[in-house]
Amino acid sequence: EAGVTQFPSHSVIEKGQTVTLRCDPISGHDNLYWYRRVMGKEIKFLLHFVKESKQDESGMPNNRFLAERTGGTYSTLKVQPAELEDSGVYFCASSQGAHSIQYFGAGTRLSVL
Amino acid sequence: LAKTTQPISMDSYEGQEVNITCSHNNIATNDYITWYQQFPSQGPRFIIQGYKTKVTNEVASLFIPADRKSSTLSLPRVSLSDTAVYYCLVGESWGKFQFGAGTQVVVTP
């Protein structure tokens, strides 16, 4: 069974540009989470989808970040416009339901120059 | 979210048992305790999860005392490939996790 897949593995963009990260959760997992680690700091929660609905988006840093999960399958996280402080590693995780384990993808490394 | 405290680093030799204790004084009734392992350039990988007493799987054991204010991850007979960062996470397992700095475990020959 495929794990959580994230695309791209690495993205290098210039300040002011737009970047879209994609996450494909494990098939059948209703819960999808986005986390990020910036500048060597701790991994921080961004938001949580249950199917296509945003259950908790309390960790989204500002309105430059937009997450979607069309049809409750894959999710995208768009950063527009990107700023230097957005550089870091963005992780996606998915789980099946209550009391289920969160499985993480390998992450997307975003470098904003 | 319950805050967790764990040692910053631990060193061990191959073949030894490594025990990492995590403190979570403010754990809530519905919270589970979950441990993850992370290697450089990879996402966190699930190791073990528990609610109370002892849980054991093929790679680790998790000991949780009755008051649940702490937990201990036990890695038996570590090898060089167990060198990684280990995170203790507390929360409702369908919700968000709050990661701390983790414990860097270094295993040497």
Coordinates of all heavy atoms in Angstrom, one line a residue, chain B residues 18-65:
Chain B
V18 N 17.9 1.7 25.2 CA 17.7 3.1 25.4 C 16.3 3.4 25.9 O 15.3 2.9 25.4 CB 18.0 3.8 24.1 CG1 17.6 5.3 24.2 CG2 19.4 3.7 23.6
N19 N 16.3 4.2 27.0 CA 15.0 4.6 27.6 C 14.9 6.1 27.5 O 15.8 6.8 28.1 CB 14.9 4.1 29.0 CG 14.9 2.6 29.1 OD1 14.1 1.9 28.5 ND2 15.8 2.0 29.9
I20 N 13.9 6.6 26.9 CA 13.7 8.0 26.8 C 12.4 8.4 27.6 O 11.3 7.8 27.3 CB 13.5 8.5 25.4 CG1 14.6 8.0 24.5 CG2 13.4 10.0 25.3 CD1 14.4 8.2 23.0
T21 N 12.5 9.2 28.6 CA 11.4 9.6 29.4 C 10.8 10.9 29.0 O 11.6 11.9 28.8 CB 11.7 9.6 30.9 OG1 12.0 8.2 31.3 CG2 10.5 10.0 31.7
C22 N 9.5 11.0 28.9 CA 8.9 12.2 28.5 C 7.9 12.7 29.6 O 7.1 11.8 30.1 CB 8.1 12.0 27.2 SG 7.1 13.4 26.6
S23 N 7.9 13.9 29.9 CA 7.1 14.5 30.9 C 5.9 15.2 30.3 O 6.1 16.0 29.4 CB 7.8 15.4 31.9 OG 7.0 16.1 32.7
H24 N 4.7 14.9 30.7 CA 3.5 15.6 30.2 C 2.5 15.8 31.3 O 1.5 15.1 31.4 CB 2.9 14.8 29.0 CG 3.1 13.3 29.0 ND1 2.4 12.5 29.8 CD2 4.0 12.6 28.3 CE1 2.8 11.3 29.6 NE2 3.8 11.3 28.7
N25 N 2.8 16.7 32.2 CA 2.0 16.9 33.4 C 0.6 17.3 33.1 O -0.3 17.1 34.0 CB 2.7 18.0 34.3 CG 4.0 17.5 34.8 OD1 4.1 16.3 35.3 ND2 5.0 18.3 34.8
N26 N 0.3 18.0 32.0 CA -1.0 18.5 31.7 C -1.8 17.6 30.8 O -2.8 18.1 30.1 CB -0.9 19.9 31.2 CG -0.3 20.9 32.1 OD1 -0.6 20.8 33.3 ND2 0.5 21.8 31.6
I27 N -1.5 16.4 30.7 CA -2.2 15.5 29.8 C -3.7 15.4 30.2 O -4.1 15.4 31.3 CB -1.6 14.1 29.9 CG1 -2.1 13.2 28.8 CG2 -1.7 13.4 31.2 CD1 -1.3 11.9 28.5
A28 N -4.5 15.4 29.1 CA -6.0 15.4 29.3 C -6.5 14.0 29.2 O -5.8 13.1 28.7 CB -6.6 16.3 28.3
T29 N -7.7 13.8 29.7 CA -8.3 12.5 29.8 C -8.4 11.8 28.4 O -8.1 10.6 28.3 CB -9.7 12.6 30.4 OG1 -9.7 13.2 31.7 CG2 -10.4 11.2 30.5
N30 N -8.6 12.6 27.4 CA -8.8 12.0 26.1 C -7.5 11.8 25.3 O -7.5 11.3 24.2 CB -9.8 12.8 25.2 CG -11.2 12.7 25.7 OD1 -11.6 11.7 26.4 ND2 -11.9 13.8 25.5
D31 N -6.4 12.3 25.9 CA -5.1 12.3 25.2 C -4.5 10.9 25.1 O -4.5 10.2 26.1 CB -4.1 13.3 25.8 CG -4.5 14.7 25.6 OD1 -5.3 15.0 24.7 OD2 -3.9 15.6 26.3
Y32 N -3.9 10.6 24.0 CA -3.0 9.5 23.8 C -1.6 9.9 23.8 O -1.3 11.1 23.5 CB -3.4 8.8 22.5 CG -4.6 7.8 22.6 CD1 -5.8 8.3 22.8 CD2 -4.4 6.5 22.5 CE1 -6.9 7.5 23.0 CE2 -5.5 5.6 22.6 CZ -6.7 6.1 22.8 OH -7.8 5.3 23.0
I33 N -0.7 9.0 24.0 CA 0.8 9.3 24.0 C 1.3 8.6 22.8 O 1.2 7.3 22.6 CB 1.5 8.8 25.2 CG1 0.8 9.6 26.4 CG2 3.0 9.1 25.2 CD1 1.0 8.9 27.8
T34 N 2.0 9.3 21.9 CA 2.5 8.7 20.6 C 3.9 9.1 20.5 O 4.3 10.2 20.7 CB 1.7 9.2 19.4 OG1 0.2 9.1 19.7 CG2 2.0 8.5 18.2
W35 N 4.7 8.2 20.0 CA 6.1 8.4 19.8 C 6.4 8.2 18.3 O 6.0 7.3 17.7 CB 7.0 7.5 20.6 CG 7.1 7.8 22.1 CD1 6.1 7.5 23.0 CD2 8.1 8.5 22.7 NE1 6.5 8.0 24.2 CE2 7.8 8.6 24.1 CE3 9.3 9.0 22.3 CZ2 8.6 9.2 25.0 CZ3 10.1 9.7 23.3 CH2 9.8 9.8 24.6
Y36 N 7.2 9.2 17.8 CA 7.7 9.1 16.4 C 9.2 9.2 16.3 O 9.8 9.7 17.2 CB 7.1 10.3 15.6 CG 5.6 10.1 15.2 CD1 4.6 10.4 16.1 CD2 5.3 9.7 13.9 CE1 3.3 10.3 15.7 CE2 4.0 9.6 13.5 CZ 3.0 9.8 14.4 OH 1.7 9.7 14.0
Q37 N 9.7 8.6 15.2 CA 11.1 8.7 15.0 C 11.3 9.4 13.7 O 10.5 9.3 12.7 CB 11.6 7.2 14.8 CG 13.0 7.0 14.4 CD 13.3 5.6 13.9 OE1 12.6 5.1 13.0 NE2 14.3 4.9 14.6
Q38 N 12.4 10.2 13.6 CA 12.6 11.0 12.4 C 14.1 11.0 12.0 O 15.0 11.3 12.9 CB 12.1 12.4 12.5 CG 12.2 13.2 11.2 CD 11.7 14.6 11.2 OE1 11.7 15.2 12.3 NE2 11.2 15.1 10.1
F39 N 14.4 10.6 10.8 CA 15.7 10.6 10.2 C 15.8 11.9 9.4 O 14.8 12.5 9.0 CB 16.0 9.4 9.4 CG 15.9 8.1 10.1 CD1 14.8 7.2 9.8 CD2 16.8 7.7 11.0 CE1 14.7 6.0 10.5 CE2 16.7 6.5 11.7 CZ 15.7 5.7 11.4
P40 N 17.0 12.4 9.2 CA 17.2 13.6 8.4 C 16.6 13.4 7.0 O 16.7 12.4 6.4 CB 18.8 13.7 8.3 CG 19.3 13.0 9.5 CD 18.3 11.9 9.7
S41 N 16.0 14.5 6.6 CA 15.3 14.5 5.2 C 14.2 13.6 5.1 O 13.8 13.2 3.9 CB 16.4 14.3 4.1 OG 17.4 15.3 4.2
Q42 N 13.6 13.1 6.2 CA 12.4 12.2 6.1 C 11.3 12.8 7.0 O 11.6 13.6 7.9 CB 12.8 10.8 6.5 CG 13.8 10.1 5.5 CD 13.9 8.6 5.9 OE1 13.1 8.0 6.5 NE2 15.1 8.1 5.5
G43 N 10.1 12.3 6.8 CA 9.1 12.7 7.7 C 9.1 11.8 8.9 O 9.7 10.7 8.9
P44 N 8.4 12.3 10.0 CA 8.3 11.5 11.2 C 7.7 10.1 10.9 O 6.7 10.0 10.1 CB 7.4 12.3 12.1 CG 7.6 13.7 11.6 CD 7.8 13.6 10.1
R45 N 8.2 9.1 11.6 CA 7.7 7.7 11.4 C 7.1 7.2 12.7 O 7.8 7.3 13.7 CB 8.8 6.8 10.9 CG 8.4 5.4 10.5 CD 9.5 4.6 9.9 NE 10.5 4.2 10.9 CZ 10.6 3.0 11.5 NH1 9.7 2.1 11.1 NH2 11.5 2.7 12.3
F46 N 5.9 6.7 12.7 CA 5.3 6.2 13.9 C 6.1 5.0 14.5 O 6.5 4.1 13.8 CB 3.9 5.7 13.5 CG 3.2 5.0 14.6 CD1 2.6 5.7 15.7 CD2 3.1 3.6 14.7 CE1 1.9 5.0 16.7 CE2 2.5 3.0 15.7 CZ 1.9 3.7 16.7
I47 N 6.2 5.1 15.8 CA 6.8 4.0 16.5 C 5.8 3.2 17.3 O 5.6 2.0 17.2 CB 8.0 4.5 17.5 CG1 9.1 5.2 16.7 CG2 8.6 3.3 18.2 CD1 10.1 5.8 17.6
I48 N 5.1 4.0 18.2 CA 4.3 3.3 19.2 C 3.3 4.3 19.8 O 3.6 5.5 19.8 CB 5.1 2.6 20.3 CG1 4.3 1.5 21.0 CG2 5.7 3.6 21.2 CD1 5.2 0.6 21.9
Q49 N 2.1 3.8 20.2 CA 1.1 4.7 20.8 C 0.5 3.9 22.0 O 0.3 2.7 21.9 CB 0.1 5.0 19.8 CG -1.0 6.0 20.3 CD -2.1 6.2 19.2 OE1 -2.9 5.4 18.9 NE2 -2.0 7.4 18.6
G50 N 0.2 4.7 23.0 CA -0.5 4.1 24.2 C -1.4 5.1 24.9 O -1.2 6.3 24.8
Y51 N -2.2 4.5 25.8 CA -3.1 5.3 26.6 C -2.7 5.2 28.1 O -2.6 6.1 28.8 CB -4.5 5.0 26.4 CG -5.4 5.9 27.2 CD1 -5.8 7.2 26.7 CD2 -6.0 5.5 28.4 CE1 -6.6 8.0 27.5 CE2 -6.8 6.3 29.2 CZ -7.1 7.6 28.7 OH -8.0 8.4 29.4
K52 N -2.5 3.9 28.5 CA -2.1 3.7 29.9 C -1.3 2.3 30.0 O -1.3 1.6 29.0 CB -3.2 3.7 30.9 CG -4.3 2.7 30.6 CD -5.4 2.7 31.6 CE -6.5 1.7 31.3 NZ -7.6 1.8 32.2
T53 N -0.7 2.1 31.0 CA 0.1 0.9 31.4 C 1.2 0.7 30.4 O 1.9 1.6 30.1 CB -0.8 -0.4 31.5 OG1 -1.5 -0.7 30.2 CG2 -1.9 -0.1 32.6
K54 N 1.3 -0.5 29.8 CA 2.4 -0.9 28.9 C 1.9 -1.3 27.6 O 1.0 -2.1 27.5 CB 3.2 -2.0 29.6 CG 4.4 -2.5 28.7 CD 5.1 -3.6 29.4 CE 6.2 -4.2 28.5 NZ 6.9 -5.3 29.2
V55 N 2.6 -0.9 26.6 CA 2.3 -1.3 25.2 C 3.7 -1.8 24.6 O 4.7 -1.1 24.8 CB 1.8 -0.1 24.4 CG1 1.5 -0.6 22.9 CG2 0.5 0.4 25.0
T56 N 3.6 -2.8 23.9 CA 4.8 -3.4 23.3 C 4.5 -3.8 21.8 O 3.5 -4.3 21.5 CB 5.3 -4.6 24.0 OG1 5.7 -4.2 25.3 CG2 6.6 -5.2 23.3
N57 N 5.4 -3.4 20.9 CA 5.3 -3.9 19.6 C 6.7 -4.5 19.1 O 7.6 -4.7 20.0 CB 4.8 -2.8 18.6 CG 5.7 -1.6 18.5 OD1 6.9 -1.7 18.8 ND2 5.1 -0.5 18.1
E58 N 6.9 -4.7 17.9 CA 8.1 -5.4 17.4 C 9.3 -4.5 17.5 O 10.4 -5.0 17.4 CB 7.9 -5.9 16.0 CG 7.7 -4.8 15.0 CD 6.2 -4.3 14.8 OE1 5.4 -4.8 15.7 OE2 5.9 -3.6 13.9
V59 N 9.2 -3.2 17.7 CA 10.3 -2.3 17.7 C 10.6 -1.6 19.1 O 11.7 -1.2 19.4 CB 10.3 -1.2 16.6 CG1 10.3 -1.9 15.3 CG2 9.1 -0.3 16.8
A60 N 9.5 -1.5 19.9 CA 9.7 -0.7 21.1 C 8.6 -1.1 22.1 O 7.7 -1.8 21.9 CB 9.6 0.8 20.8
S61 N 8.9 -0.6 23.4 CA 7.9 -0.7 24.4 C 7.6 0.7 25.0 O 8.5 1.6 24.9 CB 8.4 -1.6 25.6 OG 8.5 -2.9 25.1
L62 N 6.4 0.9 25.4 CA 6.0 2.2 26.0 C 5.4 1.9 27.4 O 4.5 1.2 27.5 CB 5.0 2.9 25.1 CG 4.4 4.2 25.5 CD1 5.5 5.2 25.7 CD2 3.4 4.7 24.5
F63 N 6.0 2.6 28.4 CA 5.6 2.4 29.7 C 4.9 3.7 30.2 O 5.5 4.8 30.1 CB 6.8 2.1 30.6 CG 7.5 0.9 30.3 CD1 8.6 0.9 29.4 CD2 7.1 -0.4 30.8 CE1 9.2 -0.3 29.0 CE2 7.7 -1.5 30.5 CZ 8.8 -1.5 29.6
I64 N 3.7 3.6 30.7 CA 2.9 4.7 31.1 C 2.4 4.5 32.6 O 1.6 3.5 32.8 CB 1.7 5.0 30.2 CG1 2.2 5.1 28.7 CG2 1.0 6.3 30.6 CD1 1.1 5.1 27.7
P65 N 2.8 5.3 33.5 CA 2.4 5.0 34.9 C 0.9 5.4 35.1 O 0.3 6.0 34.2 CB 3.3 6.0 35.7 CG 3.7 7.1 34.8 CD 3.7 6.4 33.4

